[in-house]
Amino acid sequence: MSEHTIHPKSASRMNDEMLSSLKPPTLRWYGLAFLLGAVVAWGIYAFSYMVTTDMSCTGLDRPVMWGVFIVNFVFWIGLSHSGTMVSAILRLSQANWRRPILRAAEAMTVFTVAVGGLFPLIHLGRNWVFFYLIPYPNQRGLWPNFRSPLLWDAMAITTYIIGSSLFLYLGMLPDLAVARDRAHGWRLKLYTVLAMGWRGTAREWVVYQQASTLMAALIIPVAVSVHSIVAWDFAVTVVPGWHSTIFPPYFVIGAIHSGVAAVITLMIVIRKAFHLEEYLTPLHFDNMGKLQLVITLLWSYAYFVEVQTTWYAHEPIEWEVYSFMAHKYTFILLLMLFGNSILPIIVLCFKRLRRSIPVMLAITLLINVGMFIERFLIIVPSLSHKNMPFVWGTYFPSWVELSITAGAFAGFALMYTLFAKTFPMVAMTDVHEYESQKALMLLGRTRVPSLVGKE
């Protein structure tokens, strides 16, 4: 169906289609949930084994004391920028095409922050003293060390997960009321509590619009500050390859790069799983592809500037790290550059390819594979090839680290699967507003209601 087609459907029928994800689970859904739960359980077992043994069961050792756990941390926090970029910025810019994809992006933000925020705790080693990261005076009267990047991360992630959860919940309020009016049993009780008595009065809509705009404006600087703080975990050190002022903007651009790609991937999955082809049209993938192309160009420029600055300064130890990375990790370095920059720029320049669902799925998955590799190449080569040659070493993740990583990916997928079966996956009120705007026709300089789309 063309994106210019106006749906000749009533509001009730459109609600039925957009609430299709809330239908009773099928055997395939139970099978998927069980499989994801099994992988999560295996990851929990691996973590329990690490706690009861010690960190020697991982691949971490001098000089590489940050490994896959911190790679996961940076990667998942980067993915969380999807909701901010796609939802908040497009909401403020009044881009009408954004409406069907808001919920997917906002939910993804909450779940990725929740997963990413666990990895600093997993990486602690003595995980039972995690409360030292919380900024409060402890029982010995000692204040936490506010110069510690661990404390910065704890404060930033806590702020971001609270803000993004409120942003998601606020956008769901009208849809929860619609679901409440159609539900029964335990769903009726759940939606009644969460809808907080929403009735859709004029006053409620005015307050809702004002609050949505305010939250969209506030969540953007919070998201930028969060990944800037993650970048400072590296930039404030004197490790070769990390001590750079370009890290905060470079990390933010990389986070948006991976986040937008992940949103497109989820759009494709949701479109197929819940038969939302009429609402997630090729127009949405075309526009998201254009956005992805712009971010890809920005990321490519930032990466080129980082390498060019190091080459131009030609500090011996800095250049040694890059030379080591190019020789030791040649294949994955080329894969990262091909997946993050070269192929997306070529493919996303063509409208026909941007509107191809299989092509967009392949490109966005490749981008996030490349971004995971990019995080690995930032952390491991710089640590394994530092200033003193006598402490040079190698690193390879153990089964424990790989199992916990697999559990993290499965945990995100499981949370998203449960969310999609419990709450509306399409922002229904935003879609209805968009449809009503399409039903206005131009008469002179004035838009007046038409009868198109009425039943």
Side-chain angles (χ1 to χ4, degrees):
M1 177 176 292
S2 170
E3 64 271 17
H4 303 294
T5 303
I6 297 178
H7 299 278
K9 301 175 183 177
S10 65
S12 177
R13 184 176 174 186
M14 291 175 61
N15 285 341
D16 289 338
E17 294 178 350
M18 289 184 282
L19 289 173
S20 62
S21 64
L22 305 185
K23 293 179 180 179
T26 62
L27 288 177
R28 293 174 61 184
W29 185 90
Y30 281 116
L32 175 63
F34 177 79
L35 178 62
L36 294 174
V39 178
V40 172
W42 177 254
I44 294 174
Y45 165 75
F47 172 70
S48 303
Y49 177 80
M50 183 183 72
V51 171
T52 54
T53 310
D54 52 48
M55 296 296 284
S56 64
C57 65
T58 68
L60 300 174
D61 197 4
R62 289 187 175 88
V64 183
M65 302 305 295
W66 287 9
V68 166
F69 291 152
I70 303 302
V71 173
N72 274 282
F73 168 62
V74 180
F75 176 76
W76 285 105
I77 297 299
L79 284 183
S80 68
H81 282 57
S82 60
T84 303
M85 183 66 191
V86 176
S87 183
I89 295 180
L90 295 180
R91 185 187 295 272
L92 292 176
S93 63
Q94 298 297 313
N96 280 327
W97 59 269
R98 79 187 189 279
R99 299 175 187 273
I101 63 179
L102 293 179
R103 187 68 38 76
E106 293 165 4
M108 181 180 166
T109 295
V110 176
F111 299 143
T112 49
V113 175
V115 172
L118 293 175
F119 277 98
L121 306 181
I122 295 172
H123 181 73
L124 280 179
R126 295 184 297 165
N127 315 89
W128 51 91
V129 295
F130 70 92
F131 52 86
Y132 286 166
L133 303 179
I134 304 173
Y136 73 102
N138 58 40
Q139 68 273 20
R140 293 173 294 170
L142 299 175
W143 284 88
N145 181 10
F146 285 95
R147 293 178 295 178
S148 169
L150 284 175
L151 183 61
W152 306 345
D153 292 334
M155 296 176 67
I157 293 171
T158 303
T159 303
Y160 194 31
I161 196 168
I162 292 173
S164 57
S165 299
L166 289 175
F167 191 45
L168 170 64
Y169 177 59
L170 180 63
M172 290 175 59
L173 266 179
D175 294 348
L176 289 171
V178 175
R180 173 199 62 198
D181 297 339
R182 293 165 171 262
H184 54 82
W186 66 270
R187 288 181 182 270
L188 176 60
K189 297 178 182 179
L190 176 65
Y191 299 147
T192 300
V193 172
L194 294 179
M196 296 196 302
W198 176 277
R199 293 298 172 190
T201 64
R203 175 61 181 167
E204 288 176 343
W205 278 112
V206 169
V207 174
Y208 171 78
Q209 294 294 343
Q210 292 174 344
S212 298
T213 304
L214 179 62
M215 279 298 300
L218 291 176
I219 201 69
I220 294 173
V222 171
V224 172
S225 65
V226 166
H227 219 60
S228 296
I229 290 173
V230 172
W232 292 340
D233 291 349
F234 303 89
V236 297
T237 69
V238 292
V239 175
W242 290 2
H243 194 60
S244 173
T245 55
I246 199 177
F247 259 42
Y250 174 60
F251 269 51
V252 171
I253 293 171
I256 297 173
H257 189 33
S258 60
V260 172
V263 169
I264 297 174
T265 303
L266 282 176
M267 285 170 56
I268 296 172
V269 174
I270 293 169
R271 182 180 189 264
K272 180 67 175 178
F274 302 121
H275 308 290
L276 297 173
E277 289 84 0
E278 294 187 27
Y279 302 97
L280 294 173
T281 66
L283 171 67
H284 297 97
F285 293 98
D286 186 18
N287 288 331
M288 288 294 289
K290 294 175 184 176
L291 180 60
Q292 186 75 68
L293 175 60
V294 172
I295 302 300
T296 303
L297 292 170
L298 288 174
W299 182 89
S300 302
Y301 173 75
Y303 189 82
F304 173 78
V305 167
E306 183 190 12
V307 176
Q308 181 72 8
T309 303
T310 304
W311 175 83
Y312 189 76
H314 222 80
E315 288 288 336
I317 185 58
E318 295 275 350
W319 190 247
E320 175 63 27
V321 171
Y322 274 94
S323 300
F324 169 75
M325 181 172 62
H327 287 88
K328 178 72 174 179
Y329 301 98
T330 307
F331 174 74
I332 62 173
L333 175 63
L334 293 177
L335 178 61
M336 183 267 290
L337 292 174
F338 182 75
N340 281 356
S341 180
I342 299 173
L343 187 63
I345 290 175
I346 294 173
V347 171
L348 297 176
C349 286
F350 298 95
K351 181 177 181 179
R352 178 176 296 181
L353 296 179
R354 291 196 302 267
R355 292 183 172 230
S356 171
I357 306 302
V359 170
M360 291 300 290
L361 178 62
I363 289 295
T364 53
L365 287 175
L366 186 59
I367 286 174
N368 269 313
V369 169
M371 290 306 297
F372 193 90
I373 294 173
E374 186 246 10
R375 266 63 172 185
F376 181 89
L377 292 177
I378 287 175
I379 294 171
V380 174
S382 296
L383 289 176
S384 61
H385 218 68
K386 288 197 293 188
N387 307 64
M388 301 299 180
F390 64 86
V391 294
W392 288 354
T394 58
Y395 167 79
F396 191 82
S398 70
W399 70 269
V400 172
E401 294 165 284
L402 295 177
S403 298
I404 294 175
T405 299
F409 280 91
F412 167 76
L414 180 60
M415 286 190 290
Y416 215 96
T417 301
L418 296 174
F419 179 85
K421 189 51 68 176
T422 308
F423 299 103
M425 282 307 298
V426 177
M428 295 184 290
T429 52
D430 289 289
V431 173
H432 284 309
E433 183 181 355
Y434 180 47
E435 294 299 323
S436 66
Q437 290 177 358
K438 291 199 300 184
L440 295 178
M441 64 183 218
L442 192 63
L443 184 63
R445 295 185 178 181
T446 306
R447 289 185 175 272
V448 297
S450 70
L451 297 179
V452 179
K454 302 290 185 181
E455 284 192 357

